[in-house]
Amino acid sequence: NAGVIQTPRHKVTGKGQEATLWCEPISGHSAVFWYRQTIVQGLEFLTYFRNQAPIDDSGMPKERFSAQMPNQSHSTLKIQSTQPQDSAVYLCASSPLGGYNYAEQFFGPGTRLTVL
Amino acid sequence: GDSVTQTEGPVTLSEGTSLTVNCSYETKQYPTLFWYVQYPGEGPQLLFKVPKANEKGSNRGFEATYNKEATSFHLQKASVQESDSAVYYCALGGRGGNYKPTFGKGTSLVVHP
């Protein structure tokens, strides 16, 4: 089991460019979560999918950020017109949701985005 | 909504001393509680979870008891090692349909030899 895979591990963009981050969840996990992590804000929830359907995007900035899960093997987080304040580590996690009890999350190593 | 409050860091200790990281939560649901640990350059990983009130979770010498009455879930270790230096997150998960987790802001622990 390779765990959650995130690519690229590091990405540098210029201000105003687009950035697309990829996540491959653990096979068989039914939920995928995206987070943003900074020194100041800590771990911020962005959005999550269950069985590929978007369930909660309450943490997503309404402009410029979008997430998709076109199939069960990958999800993408796209940031349009990147700004320096978007610089952060973006973490993806998957979870084997099922039954009534909440299950733990398995995190990937993250993508460090730097916007110059 | 749900909230989690934990000890602000950084916490600096010497090897062999004891650790307590406080975690308090507010929720209207009956949560499952988790502690995650994040080492430099990695994503958070589960330290342990405790699904039921008044039960104890433990792993790698760390333990925490889910106190439903006090709505607390403090992390403790009797004798820390330099390798325990990391960021620790307390988290609560919903139950029955609401899978969006709530994480605390994290507590950075630095252990000196």
Side-chain angles (χ1 to χ4, degrees):
Chain A
N1 192 335
V4 175
I5 298 171
Q6 290 190 250
T7 54
R9 290 294 309 275
H10 303 273
K11 187 171 182 67
V12 179
T13 65
K15 182 179 175 181
Q17 292 183 329
E18 181 178 287
T20 300
L21 312 180
W22 292 71
C23 171
E24 182 178 329
I26 294 172
S27 177
H29 283 192
S30 55
V32 170
F33 300 78
W34 284 97
Y35 297 86
R36 177 169 62 184
Q37 186 176 44
T38 61
I39 298 291
V40 175
Q41 297 295 332
L43 198 59
E44 296 179 277
F45 168 83
L46 294 176
T47 186
Y48 88 93
F49 298 83
R50 186 181 183 193
N51 295 326
Q52 300 173 230
I55 302 299
D56 186 332
D57 67 353
S58 58
M60 291 277 275
K62 294 309 176 188
E63 296 181 357
R64 303 187 297 107
F65 282 63
S66 62
Q68 293 184 327
M69 191 164 184
N71 57 59
Q72 63 185 8
S73 64
H74 88 273
S75 175
T76 59
L77 179 68
K78 183 180 292 185
I79 309 172
Q80 295 178 312
S81 186
T82 55
Q83 303 297 310
Q85 60 265 31
D86 298 331
S87 297
V89 174
Y90 290 83
L91 291 161
C92 175
S94 69
S95 182
L97 297 183
Y100 199 62
N101 289 320
Y102 184 84
E104 64 265 31
Q105 301 192 359
F106 295 78
F107 284 82
T111 295
R112 180 174 296 278
L113 175 67
T114 302
V115 182
L116 301 176
Chain B
D2 295 348
S3 67
V4 174
T5 304
Q6 63 180 105
T7 301
E8 286 192 27
V11 174
T12 304
L13 297 174
S14 298
E15 270 192 329
T17 58
S18 65
L19 168 72
T20 298
V21 180
N22 294 322
C23 175
S24 299
Y25 64 89
E26 291 186 15
T27 181
K28 293 183 179 179
Q29 301 190 56
Y30 189 82
T32 297
L33 295 171
F34 302 83
W35 278 101
Y36 286 83
V37 57
Q38 184 176 24
Y39 299 103
E42 300 180 9
Q45 57 183 271
L46 181 70
L47 190 54
F48 53 80
K49 71 175 179 180
V50 180
K52 293 183 180 179
N54 301 320
E55 284 195 354
K56 179 180 291 186
S58 62
N59 187 20
R60 306 183 210 173
F62 290 89
E63 62 180 31
T65 300
Y66 174 177
N67 186 328
K68 183 173 182 287
E69 289 70 31
T71 61
S72 66
F73 189 50
H74 307 318
L75 180 70
Q76 296 177 309
K77 188 173 186 182
S79 177
V80 296
Q81 302 173 346
E82 190 176 4
S83 58
D84 294 326
S85 298
V87 179
Y88 293 83
Y89 291 94
C90 177
L92 65 89
R95 185 171 172 128
N98 176 10
Y99 295 103
K100 175 185 170 183
T102 302
F103 281 84
K105 289 196 174 294
T107 301
S108 175
L109 171 65
V110 177
V111 181
H112 293 295

PDB file of all heavy atoms in Angstrom, chain A residues 8-9 55-56 59 96-97:
ATOM      1  N   PRO A   8       2.617  17.647  -7.705  1.00  0.00           N
ATOM      2  CA  PRO A   8       4.030  17.498  -7.380  1.00  0.00           C
ATOM      3  C   PRO A   8       4.279  17.713  -5.885  1.00  0.00           C
ATOM      4  O   PRO A   8       3.374  18.120  -5.164  1.00  0.00           O
ATOM      5  CB  PRO A   8       4.672  18.628  -8.205  1.00  0.00           C
ATOM      6  CG  PRO A   8       3.621  19.698  -8.218  1.00  0.00           C
ATOM      7  CD  PRO A   8       2.300  18.955  -8.290  1.00  0.00           C
ATOM      8  N   ARG A   9       5.435  17.438  -5.407  1.00  0.00           N
ATOM      9  CA  ARG A   9       5.750  17.695  -4.008  1.00  0.00           C
ATOM     10  C   ARG A   9       6.046  19.174  -3.778  1.00  0.00           C
ATOM     11  O   ARG A   9       5.786  19.702  -2.695  1.00  0.00           O
ATOM     12  CB  ARG A   9       6.952  16.864  -3.574  1.00  0.00           C
ATOM     13  CG  ARG A   9       6.678  15.366  -3.486  1.00  0.00           C
ATOM     14  CD  ARG A   9       5.665  15.024  -2.374  1.00  0.00           C
ATOM     15  NE  ARG A   9       5.995  15.611  -1.098  1.00  0.00           N
ATOM     16  CZ  ARG A   9       6.822  15.068  -0.216  1.00  0.00           C
ATOM     17  NH1 ARG A   9       7.412  13.922  -0.475  1.00  0.00           N
ATOM     18  NH2 ARG A   9       7.051  15.686   0.932  1.00  0.00           N
ATOM     19  N   ILE A  55     -19.149  17.000  -1.125  1.00  0.00           N
ATOM     20  CA  ILE A  55     -20.060  16.999   0.018  1.00  0.00           C
ATOM     21  C   ILE A  55     -20.034  18.330   0.761  1.00  0.00           C
ATOM     22  O   ILE A  55     -21.069  18.857   1.136  1.00  0.00           O
ATOM     23  CB  ILE A  55     -19.696  15.873   1.010  1.00  0.00           C
ATOM     24  CG1 ILE A  55     -19.737  14.501   0.314  1.00  0.00           C
ATOM     25  CG2 ILE A  55     -20.622  15.901   2.220  1.00  0.00           C
ATOM     26  CD1 ILE A  55     -21.101  14.125  -0.236  1.00  0.00           C
ATOM     27  N   ASP A  56     -18.843  18.847   0.978  1.00  0.00           N
ATOM     28  CA  ASP A  56     -18.716  20.062   1.785  1.00  0.00           C
ATOM     29  C   ASP A  56     -17.537  20.864   1.266  1.00  0.00           C
ATOM     30  O   ASP A  56     -16.416  20.385   1.325  1.00  0.00           O
ATOM     31  CB  ASP A  56     -18.524  19.675   3.253  1.00  0.00           C
ATOM     32  CG  ASP A  56     -18.518  20.881   4.197  1.00  0.00           C
ATOM     33  OD1 ASP A  56     -18.145  21.998   3.789  1.00  0.00           O
ATOM     34  OD2 ASP A  56     -18.868  20.696   5.385  1.00  0.00           O
ATOM     35  N   GLY A  59     -14.814  25.390   3.247  1.00  0.00           N
ATOM     36  CA  GLY A  59     -13.522  26.012   3.507  1.00  0.00           C
ATOM     37  C   GLY A  59     -12.843  26.564   2.273  1.00  0.00           C
ATOM     38  O   GLY A  59     -11.784  27.194   2.380  1.00  0.00           O
ATOM     39  N   PRO A  96     -11.448   5.659   4.884  1.00  0.00           N
ATOM     40  CA  PRO A  96     -12.339   4.545   4.545  1.00  0.00           C
ATOM     41  C   PRO A  96     -13.683   4.708   5.243  1.00  0.00           C
ATOM     42  O   PRO A  96     -14.048   3.931   6.121  1.00  0.00           O
ATOM     43  CB  PRO A  96     -11.591   3.330   5.079  1.00  0.00           C
ATOM     44  CG  PRO A  96     -10.865   3.854   6.282  1.00  0.00           C
ATOM     45  CD  PRO A  96     -10.494   5.282   5.944  1.00  0.00           C
ATOM     46  N   LEU A  97     -14.416   5.753   4.896  1.00  0.00           N
ATOM     47  CA  LEU A  97     -15.693   5.996   5.555  1.00  0.00           C
ATOM     48  C   LEU A  97     -16.629   4.821   5.340  1.00  0.00           C
ATOM     49  O   LEU A  97     -16.636   4.196   4.298  1.00  0.00           O
ATOM     50  CB  LEU A  97     -16.340   7.257   5.010  1.00  0.00           C
ATOM     51  CG  LEU A  97     -15.586   8.571   5.228  1.00  0.00           C
ATOM     52  CD1 LEU A  97     -16.402   9.720   4.688  1.00  0.00           C
ATOM     53  CD2 LEU A  97     -15.295   8.786   6.700  1.00  0.00           C
TER      54      LEU A  97
END
